Amino acid sequence: MSTVKDVTFDLLRRLGLTTIVGNPGSTEEPFLKDFPKDFDYVMALQEASVVSLADGLSQGLRKPVIVNLHTGAGTGNAMCAILTAYLNKTPLIITAGQQTRDMLLIEPMLTNIDATSLPRPWVKWAYEPARAQDIPAAFMRAYATAVQQPAGPVYLSLPLDDWDQPMDATDVLRTVSTRVGPDPARVTEFGARINAAMAPVLVYGADMARGGADVWADGIALAERLGVPVWASPFCERPPFPETHPQFAGPLPPAIAPLSALLKGHDLIVVIGAPVFRYYPYVPGSYLPEGAELLQVTDDPDAASKAAIGDSLVSDAGLFLKALLPQVNARVAFAGGPLRKPPQTPTGELPLTPAAVYATLNALLPDDFVLTQESPSNIPQLQDQIRVRKPDVSYAFASGALGWTTPAAVGLALAERQSGRNRPVLCVMGDGSFQYSIQGVYTGVQQKAHLIYVVLQNEEYGILKEFAELENTPNVPGLDLPGLDIVSLGKAYGANTSKAETTEELAGAFKGALDHHGTSVIVVPITRALRGLLG
């Protein structure tokens, strides 16, 4: 007779889920014992890094990844990363060990008490099987829940003594659809309102990028048929439109009044694949310019429900575009020239400006690469100098919670290797952000991932100083970061590490890192001058 573990691992094979990312604990060892040779185990040094690494791997491979955490303690460590995976719409199947059933009533040490409540509200579903033999079917339900729109993480709490329990070799494999189609009547209504508008404008969100190259192409087709500007939604975690396209206007600011001001002159704002809207600092004003209306298309019913303004349609962005395009009239072709100015020419001052760092990197990047970043105070300079022109190139995080990118970049690099694309991954980090999950460097080194961390060191939390200026809150303690020897930290984890203070030194170090085909860390001192939170 088979065991629960036999049936479960057979199901995972048939689902194509043979990579497990984890940090092993005592309650997980029965699941991991005699680990199958046809599975890969990727180990990270802390549970937040485990989840973030799996998030990057899942996004890079466009399929779910199994995550293995250590009961309630490991889940607690991982909660921030689980929150981010939920907002990233990443389909992770998160498992956590649980104490043996024989002792659950008396709650011994490391019991995951009220296990299904712990990860909520940041998982789509959480479950602890009532019987050991329910585990394979629970994995199947977890998979089905994770991949359906809006995709996201799910959570299984699994008692350690369940795995060797006998069970029949039951076949629980089934399939589910992964996209939600639009209401045809609502598409017709939206098409008519677009055709009737005098000056519509498009706002695209990260769902356009998650949809892949076909959705990008249809998004371009709609923009060119209408001949209108395209903005990226605020805090958009993945570029939804070619940033080199002449109709691309740039990212919208994450504040009510400034966002509304940029859309002035448009009578219809069409938002596809994004919330309405992600705001951060409170700058009061009208949500929309006077006389403007808004249409929203999202695959997330919750995002449609909580939108502050506008009329919503729940649908996969790509399926909506396929249905809408035949109903939209072509307008006069766009003839205004590029809406964005060319990249600013950086100054030669020392310490280097972020613009100088990014311009230097951009000149040396190969045609195909992966970009990810967590340097909040200088993202506008990054977006100005390195303009993404293809889908599935740039990745960030939707939560605003630091610590995701260092390990997620490892996952993205592993996805490049598993997929055979083998693009180098450039990960731009602030010196403060880098400390949140710096142990992710270790996994990159051990996995021989072709990954280059460029750490911009200004010895401060620049984004918080910008926020303090906006909010008029002077003399906030804890915003300076002196004494971080990041070169030594990179070397301690085994990375190919160097410091570059000039553009010439940076160019040499970056060329060497591209040739290294392992994990590198380049530390670049930069100016402490602040830009301003809203530009």
Side-chain angles (χ1 to χ4, degrees):
M1 178 173 282
S2 299
T3 65
V4 168
K5 182 177 177 181
D6 294 333
V7 178
T8 300
F9 272 82
D10 181 60
L11 172 67
L12 297 180
R13 286 185 185 95
R14 297 172 70 192
L15 290 171
L17 306 182
T18 57
T19 297
I20 297 174
V21 184
N23 181 268
S26 55
T27 54
E28 292 69 52
E29 287 182 332
F31 170 60
L32 299 172
K33 75 174 183 178
D34 298 324
F35 195 69
K37 290 183 170 54
D38 58 330
F39 278 67
D40 292 321
Y41 185 84
V42 180
M43 195 267 285
L45 296 180
Q46 203 262 9
E47 287 90 351
S49 290
V50 166
V51 174
S52 297
L53 191 156
D55 190 340
L57 180 61
S58 175
Q59 290 195 56
L61 294 177
R62 291 185 173 275
K63 70 176 189 178
V65 170
I66 304 293
V67 176
N68 191 226
L69 302 178
H70 181 39
T71 186
T75 303
N77 283 339
M79 274 308 303
C80 181
I82 294 172
L83 177 158
T84 296
Y86 182 88
L87 294 175
N88 284 352
K89 299 183 179 179
T90 304
L92 301 181
I93 300 174
I94 301 171
T95 64
Q98 174 63 296
Q99 264 288 4
T100 181
R101 289 182 185 270
D102 287 340
M103 292 198 297
L104 279 179
L105 180 63
I106 60 173
E107 297 180 0
M109 186 177 181
L110 293 176
T111 299
N112 193 352
I113 299 169
D114 203 0
T116 59
S117 295
L118 178 60
R120 290 189 172 114
W122 302 116
V123 293
K124 293 182 66 179
W125 180 61
Y127 185 65
E128 185 173 278
R131 336 174 278 155
Q133 290 76 14
D134 290 335
I135 286 179
F139 266 93
M140 187 63 245
R141 180 174 172 181
Y143 177 92
T145 304
V147 299
Q148 294 182 78
Q149 289 180 326
V154 294
Y155 185 86
L156 295 175
S157 173
L158 305 171
L160 65 88
D161 53 333
D162 282 359
W163 294 105
D164 290 330
Q165 296 299 314
M167 73 172 293
D168 293 331
T170 306
D171 184 2
V172 297
L173 182 69
R174 56 195 180 88
T175 62
V176 295
S177 62
T178 59
R179 303 174 76 183
V180 177
D183 174 3
R186 191 70 156 167
V187 175
T188 299
E189 176 194 339
F190 276 26
R193 291 175 68 177
I194 292 170
N195 288 334
M198 298 298 295
V201 63
L202 296 171
V203 178
Y204 287 166
D207 289 350
M208 299 285 287
R210 280 186 277 268
D214 288 346
V215 180
W216 254 51
D218 285 342
I220 295 169
L222 177 62
E224 292 178 347
R225 182 170 297 182
L226 297 178
V228 300
V230 177
W231 292 90
S233 62
F235 289 128
C236 192
E237 63 270 24
R238 293 181 61 177
F241 191 78
E243 296 176 344
T244 54
H245 195 285
Q247 289 171 240
F248 184 62
L252 286 170
I256 296 170
L259 186 153
S260 180
L262 281 179
L263 298 178
K264 185 177 181 180
H266 297 288
D267 61 343
L268 185 67
I269 294 96
V270 182
V271 182
I272 303 177
V276 178
F277 286 105
R278 277 195 188 120
Y279 300 117
Y280 179 43
Y282 180 56
V283 183
S286 299
Y287 285 110
L288 296 178
E290 184 177 356
E293 296 180 344
L294 185 143
L295 305 178
Q296 179 198 28
V297 179
T298 174
D299 66 12
D300 184 354
D302 184 59
S305 299
K306 68 186 179 187
I309 198 165
D311 301 319
S312 297
L313 164 63
V314 176
S315 172
D316 172 274
L319 294 179
F320 168 76
L321 289 170
K322 290 290 187 191
L324 177 74
L325 278 165
Q327 301 188 40
V328 173
N329 299 331
R331 294 172 179 253
V332 176
F334 182 79
L339 293 176
R340 294 180 80 195
K341 296 177 181 178
Q344 293 184 355
T345 301
T347 65
E349 65 186 86
L350 293 177
L352 293 173
T353 64
V357 173
Y358 298 138
T360 302
L361 298 175
N362 186 56
L364 297 171
L365 281 167
D367 288 339
D368 290 314
F369 63 93
V370 175
L371 172 67
T372 189
Q373 52 79 15
E374 195 174 305
S375 188
S377 63
N378 47 65
I379 289 174
Q381 294 95 317
L382 173 65
Q383 293 172 330
D384 181 50
Q385 297 293 334
I386 303 178
R387 302 190 177 189
V388 174
R389 63 184 188 278
K390 301 178 183 179
D392 297 331
V393 168
S394 182
Y395 300 80
F397 52 100
S399 66
L402 301 180
W404 179 82
T405 309
T406 302
V410 179
L412 288 163
L414 297 182
E416 288 301 304
R417 186 164 68 204
Q418 288 189 27
S419 66
R421 294 184 300 259
N422 293 315
R423 297 175 295 176
V425 176
L426 168 60
C427 179
V428 176
M429 297 295 299
D431 53 347
S433 300
F434 198 46
Q435 307 311 311
Y436 279 71
S437 298
I438 194 170
Q439 67 274 4
V441 175
Y442 172 84
T443 306
V445 171
Q446 295 301 312
Q447 291 288 328
K448 299 179 173 58
H450 192 190
L451 169 59
I452 306 165
Y453 294 104
V454 176
V455 184
L456 280 63
Q457 186 166 25
N458 57 7
E459 299 187 331
E460 63 184 0
Y461 288 127
I463 189 68
L464 295 181
K465 289 189 174 182
E466 292 176 357
F467 193 84
E469 286 188 356
L470 179 71
E471 294 293 316
N472 191 26
T473 54
N475 302 318
V476 175
L479 302 188
D480 291 305
L481 299 171
L484 289 174
D485 186 352
I486 298 174
V487 172
S488 295
L489 290 171
K491 290 180 177 178
Y493 283 114
N496 175 38
T497 306
S498 59
K499 187 174 186 178
E501 298 188 3
T502 67
T503 54
E504 292 78 13
E505 291 174 355
L506 175 58
F510 191 59
K511 288 177 184 176
L514 287 171
D515 292 338
H516 175 56
H517 290 277
T519 297
S520 301
V521 175
I522 304 171
V523 183
V524 188
I526 63 167
T527 177
R528 300 186 72 175
L530 300 179
R531 178 181 180 273
L533 189 65
L534 297 175

